Amino acid sequence: MPKKERVIVGFSGSDDLALASAISKKAGGILAIIEVNHFPDKETNLRFKTDLKGKNVFIVRSLDDPDRKIVEVLLAAQAAKELGAKNVVLVAPYLCYMRQDKRFKPGQAISSRTIAKLVNLFFDGMITVDPHLHRYKSLDEIFKKSPKRLTAINQIAEFIKKEIRNPFIFGPDFESYQWARAAAKIIKCDVDVLKKHRYSSDIVRIKVKEKLDLSNKSAVIIDDVISTGHTVIEVVKDLKALGAKRIYCICTHGIFAEDSLKKIEQFGAKVFSTNTIKNRVSRIDVSGIIAEEILKST
Ligand code: R5P
């Protein structure tokens, strides 16, 4: 497809703009920066300044801080369609609300379904990276317009190979086995997947199963998301008790709520994430895999 028929949209003044710009360079599309302003009552005012007629439009917005960003992407999608875009695809490197995949307590909203309904209604497709799939086996269960699930695990494994000596990988819970095992297979190193009991968002219990000799190893915890940090901190504590000297926590999506990045570091672990969400440790770049998918699909 000619470069000028592909438009990659980034939001002005946002953290995601650098990622949108890197994707547009790699996928060879026009970068359209959508102007974001707010009315005095805090409603959002968006404005495209690029011609979208007949174009394949990719709206890049990671959905951390979800309640604000969801409204922005829906406003942008509707406007793009009204301005004549041929196709409007949501590129949400981090996809929000996926952990709300069941009614954990009576009367609770299953929020992932609501988000999926909105995406199905407003977009012609969706691309995301390492979505949290636990009770849903596949994105197709709730997203209807050929959702594309990418993974950053090759990028994470290459990073570990380059930066970390003699790694021993740990997955902190059952869901993390897919990333932990895949990384260990690429790196050709040891791996252990642990059992987690979560009692609330703040109370998590995990036990490293057996006595391991980690004296010569770098213990590397891999997870899809670090939010409050309680999951990885529990593992870090155990690994320290086992004598691990070098401990790393690596995730695809570094949400780092409640200042958790600092807290994890205070426990003596080094932390890295991909740049699906920009932060001071997002050293692993996913723009290439997203650009590749865009090139494939248009
Ligand atoms: C849950 O199963 C995920 O894979 C992560 O382990 C979890 O979301 C991390 O959350 P937190 O950092 O708040 O413990």
Side-chain angles (χ1 to χ4, degrees), residues 8-18 20 31-36 44 46-48 58-63 68-77 90-91 123:
I8 315 293
V9 176
F11 287 70
S12 69
S14 80
D15 276 353
D16 308 312
L17 187 53
L31 175 67
I33 302 179
I34 189 169
E35 203 178 270
V36 185
T44 301
L46 296 185
R47 185 174 174 208
F48 280 104
F58 296 85
I59 296 180
V60 180
R61 198 69 164 128
S62 236
L63 298 177
R68 175 173 67 92
K69 289 182 167 187
I70 276 286
V71 172
E72 290 177 0
V73 296
L74 297 181
L75 295 177
L90 174 64
V91 180
F123 290 92

Side-chain angles (χ1 to χ4, degrees), residues 99 132 173 175 196 198 223-225 227-231:
R99 288 173 293 170
H132 186 84
D173 54 23
E175 298 95 75
K196 169 165 94 177
R198 185 183 278 284
D223 209 350
D224 56 340
V225 181
S227 178
T228 64
H230 291 296
T231 299

Side-chain angles (χ1 to χ4, degrees), residues 196-213:
K196 169 165 94 177
H197 296 283
R198 185 183 278 284
Y199 300 95
S200 69
S201 25
D202 285 0
I203 304 173
V204 171
R205 293 283 169 261
I206 306 172
K207 259 277 89 353
V208 176
K209 278 186 288 205
E210 41 197 311
K211 293 273 171 205
L212 295 167
D213 179 13

Side-chain angles (χ1 to χ4, degrees), residues 125-184:
M126 184 194 61
I127 300 173
T128 189
V129 182
D130 289 331
H132 186 84
L133 292 174
H134 179 187
R135 274 157 279 261
Y136 304 124
K137 295 299 160 239
S138 137
L139 285 174
D140 302 285
E141 284 182 40
I142 52 171
F143 292 92
K144 298 300 169 204
K145 313 254 181 84
S146 338
K148 294 285 178 293
R149 170 193 181 184
L150 311 180
T151 180
I153 205 58
N154 288 323
Q155 285 63 30
I156 289 176
E158 288 310 318
F159 178 85
I160 295 173
K161 268 197 203 166
K162 214 166 113 205
E163 303 280 337
I164 301 178
R165 194 162 31 99
N166 215 1
F168 190 125
I169 309 269
F170 290 89
D173 54 23
F174 171 73
E175 298 95 75
S176 66
Y177 83 95
Q178 47 191 308
W179 298 287
R181 287 209 199 290

